[in-house]
Amino acid sequence: MNSSPHEAPQPARIDQMRRDYTLGGLDIQDVHDDPLVQFELWFAEATGRPHDAHPVTRESVAQEAGIPGWFEPNAMTLSTTTAAGDVTSRTVLLKGITSKQFVFYTSYESTKSRQIAANANVSLCFFWPHLQRQVLVSGRAERTDRESSTAYFQSRPYESQLGAHASTQSSTIESREILEQRMAELAEKYPPNTTVPLPEKWGGYAVTPVEIEFWQGRTNRLHDRIVYTRPSDAGPQTPWQLSRRSP
Ligand SMILES: Cc1cc2nc3c(=O)[nH]c(=O)nc-3n(C[C@H](O)[C@H](O)[C@H](O)COP(=O)(O)O)c2cc1C
């Protein structure tokens, strides 16, 4: 910080911060029967890869909204709870979408993983401000198999692989130097261009949704919310129920 008190910027009036959402609307007849397919369509737009039906480009939406095009569109807020119902949220990156699940990777020793072990019900929240859209997913998380975790781990940059070994995620540590020391030791143990094994403590979770909501911002706060629901014990052939929810 190099500004003197005289040059200090005026604090933003949080209560006066508002933006009207005008980019589009969403109706039940607009969306795909399968919410995972619908998610992929919106995700393609969020990453600036327009699909045929709704050719929204990253540049055009960013220009209209007056904000940068996109940054980490696969970032999502993951909320988990303890058995007692205490909630924790944090950002993680979506690393895969299958025909029925959302996949992310983390440490199995982390707070989130301990909470998932206590209660597999989680929620995911994607916010794409450049499209004035939000997607909410409620579902159950389960560990991915070791083969797919290994395949993803091996695709990560070498330093990230070492980092997964070095970190005891969510634990208290004395200093940053401890991490750097561990990284140096690991670089000796696993030199560059050798295979760094998947740590036992690290892997993926796949979230099977029971509800997905697609939210499109509209004018006057009368936003569109189209919701897909399906009971958690429903088979893959069970059709999703679609409804509109009040904003
Ligand atoms: C943009 C962004 C992406 C992140 N992606 C991941 C991720 O994919 N996996 C992960 O374990 N942590 C990720 N983190 C760090 C988490 O937010 C969090 O600090 C960490 O997972 C520990 O969470 P926990 O102590 O609640 O388990 C990310 C953070 C940010 C800001």
Side-chain angles (χ1 to χ4, degrees):
M1 290 295 191
N2 54 8
S3 61
S4 75
H6 302 294
E7 297 164 350
Q10 291 293 312
R13 282 284 310 273
I14 295 175
D15 60 341
Q16 295 303 313
M17 294 171 81
R18 61 174 60 86
R19 187 183 282 278
D20 210 13
Y21 303 134
T22 54
L23 284 180
L26 188 67
D27 216 336
I28 288 184
Q29 58 265 24
D30 297 336
V31 296
H32 198 278
D33 291 346
D34 183 335
L36 274 298
V37 175
Q38 182 60 35
F39 182 87
E40 295 213 67
L41 295 174
W42 271 26
F43 189 71
E45 292 184 352
T47 55
R49 289 180 289 113
H51 58 84
D52 293 341
H54 304 282
V56 184
T57 66
R58 182 173 67 197
E59 288 72 23
S60 71
V61 293
Q63 207 173 17
E64 199 169 334
I67 52 174
W70 56 269
F71 183 75
E72 307 277 52
N74 58 329
M76 56 190 187
T77 304
L78 163 73
S79 299
T80 54
T81 78
T82 63
D86 298 314
V87 186
T88 312
S89 298
R90 81 289 285 158
T91 312
V92 292
L93 296 179
L94 179 72
K95 286 293 175 178
I97 313 166
T98 71
S99 61
K100 54 183 175 38
Q101 291 176 312
F102 297 85
V103 177
F104 64 90
Y105 292 91
T106 192
S107 163
Y108 288 146
E109 294 174 347
S110 63
T111 298
K112 72 181 85 51
S113 296
R114 282 187 278 112
Q115 294 192 346
I116 290 169
N119 176 8
N121 294 331
V122 302
S123 87
L124 310 174
C125 174
F126 296 85
F127 175 41
W128 295 315
H130 57 302
L131 297 181
Q132 301 171 353
R133 286 174 177 169
Q134 170 181 257
V135 178
L136 303 178
V137 178
S138 305
R140 288 183 68 78
E142 61 187 322
R143 290 188 184 195
T144 55
D145 58 58
R146 295 308 278 164
E147 289 71 28
S148 45
S149 291
T150 303
Y152 172 68
F153 185 79
Q154 296 305 339
S155 77
R156 301 180 90 208
Y158 168 71
E159 289 76 13
S160 305
Q161 294 177 346
L162 294 191
H165 278 274
S167 172
T168 50
Q169 195 176 56
S170 313
S171 69
T172 303
I173 49 170
E174 285 298 314
S175 67
R176 184 170 182 87
E177 285 66 45
I178 291 175
L179 287 177
E180 284 162 1
Q181 175 66 32
R182 277 193 209 138
M183 283 293 272
E185 289 162 10
L186 286 159
E188 274 186 27
K189 188 172 176 187
Y190 306 115
N193 303 317
T194 59
T195 301
V196 181
L198 173 70
E200 275 300 311
K201 64 181 179 188
W202 200 93
Y205 283 99
V207 177
T208 305
V210 293
E211 178 176 306
I212 307 186
E213 176 188 308
F214 292 84
W215 183 101
Q216 177 72 60
R218 299 293 305 272
T219 54
N220 305 324
R221 299 302 186 248
L222 295 180
H223 313 300
D224 289 329
R225 304 175 67 187
I226 303 300
V227 187
Y228 297 74
T229 48
R230 190 160 76 172
S232 55
D233 55 359
Q237 303 312 324
T238 309
W240 290 88
Q241 300 297 315
L242 272 150
S243 57
R244 173 179 283 273
R245 194 170 271 165
S246 174

